[in-house]
């Protein structure tokens, strides 16, 4: 189950997220999104957990929790096809 994690401090690392989410179950993968030119975190990422029940519990308990001085946003990630586009291009 894939989880979106936002409003992260630029200092948050994969290891920190693994420790935080590991409290709720087995973490399969962490993908912290970084700027392709500078390598600096963009302040969000995704955590994949083995079990859906663990992911749902993590979302419930971690959404709004302070991590490195910022209250993080934690939601179940939506598949790419379900995302809505906020701006439409007009040619």
């Amino acid at each position: 189950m894939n989880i979106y994690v936002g409003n992260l401090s630029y200092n948050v690392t994969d290891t920190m997220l693994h420790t935080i989410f590991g409290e709720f179950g087995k973490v399969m993968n962490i993908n912290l999104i970084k700027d392709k030119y500078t390598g600096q975190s963009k302040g969000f990422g995704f955590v994949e957990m083995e079990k859906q029940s663990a992911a749902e519990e993590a979302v419930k308990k971690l959404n709004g929790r302070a991590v490195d001085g910022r209250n993080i946003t934690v939601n179940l990630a939506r598949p790419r096809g379900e995302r809505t586009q906020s701006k439409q291009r007009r040619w």
Side-chain angles (χ1 to χ4, degrees):
M1 176 104 301
N2 212 12
I3 302 169
Y4 165 82
V5 186
N7 200 35
L8 293 170
S9 161
Y10 295 142
N11 299 321
V12 171
T13 64
D14 292 355
T15 304
M16 290 170 74
L17 287 178
H18 192 278
T19 301
I20 292 165
F21 282 85
E23 295 174 23
F24 301 96
K26 185 174 180 182
V27 175
M28 303 298 290
N29 186 41
I30 294 176
N31 184 15
L32 250 177
I33 306 304
K34 297 180 181 180
D35 183 274
K36 65 181 176 182
Y37 299 111
T38 66
Q40 182 179 14
S41 169
K42 288 193 168 193
F44 71 98
F46 298 90
V47 176
E48 185 180 351
M49 298 192 74
E50 183 178 42
K51 295 184 180 177
Q52 182 171 345
S53 59
E56 289 171 354
E57 184 181 355
V59 168
K60 254 197 258 186
K61 298 209 174 158
L62 294 176
N63 189 39
R65 178 174 162 182
V67 174
D68 198 39
R70 300 186 73 166
N71 294 336
I72 61 173
T73 301
V74 182
N75 297 309
L76 294 179
R78 295 177 290 181
R80 286 190 180 266
E82 291 181 29
R83 295 185 184 146
T84 58
Q85 205 169 10
S86 59
K87 295 181 182 178
Q88 293 182 350
R89 289 186 180 182
R90 295 183 185 199
W91 303 102

